[in-house]
Amino acid sequence: QVQLVESGGGLVQAGGSLRLSCEASGRTFSSYAMGWFRRAPGKEREFVAAISSVGGWTYYGDSVKGRFTISRDNAKNTVNLQMNSLKPEDTAVYYCARGAGAAAGSGVYQYAYWGQGTQVTVSS
């Protein structure tokens, strides 16, 4: 099975920044789209961002556009999420996911593997 391991979560004040990273196992990382989702207490899993297999396009959820940036380094099997201007409503567990193909969008069904999640807490 594919393993995805997130890191970089933590506690931050509103207006601050965090950078999440996800490391993937295997040697086929560059063939697949990658995405970030989040789940806040009592809410459904929400799409955050996605990036195509070679980084040719990126796609963001409306709530994070202009604040978050997704990137990948295929040589290192990593995908990152730079989060700026954080708000209390960004508080959630953030999950890294591998797409089923070279492109993937906002649908949970478009992703085949998921990481364990990393907690991001933004204080008021």
Side-chain angles (χ1 to χ4, degrees):
Q1 63 183 30
V2 173
Q3 287 193 303
L4 306 172
V5 181
E6 302 96 334
S7 62
L11 175 65
V12 65
Q13 290 182 285
S17 298
L18 284 173
R19 184 173 182 267
L20 306 183
S21 294
C22 173
E23 296 185 21
S25 65
R27 297 180 180 178
T28 60
F29 176 80
S30 62
S31 297
Y32 299 96
M34 298 293 295
W36 287 94
F37 288 75
R38 65 188 183 185
R39 187 166 188 167
K43 296 184 179 180
E44 298 290 331
R45 196 176 315 188
E46 177 188 22
F47 172 73
V48 175
I51 187 166
S52 60
S53 61
V54 296
W57 59 261
T58 56
Y59 177 44
Y60 297 93
D62 288 342
S63 64
V64 306
K65 287 180 180 177
R67 299 189 297 122
F68 292 9
T69 303
I70 188 171
S71 61
R72 68 190 297 159
D73 185 341
N74 287 343
K76 298 180 179 179
N77 277 22
T78 60
V79 61
N80 307 119
L81 185 70
Q82 178 66 47
M83 306 186 295
N84 298 327
S85 301
L86 284 163
K87 305 174 181 179
E89 51 263 45
D90 294 319
T91 295
V93 177
Y94 283 71
Y95 298 91
C96 175
R98 197 209 76 180
S106 62
V108 171
Y109 68 94
Q110 296 177 294
Y111 298 85
Y113 298 96
W114 299 81
Q116 82 286 356
T118 185
Q119 177 71 48
V120 172
T121 302
V122 184
S123 62
S124 301

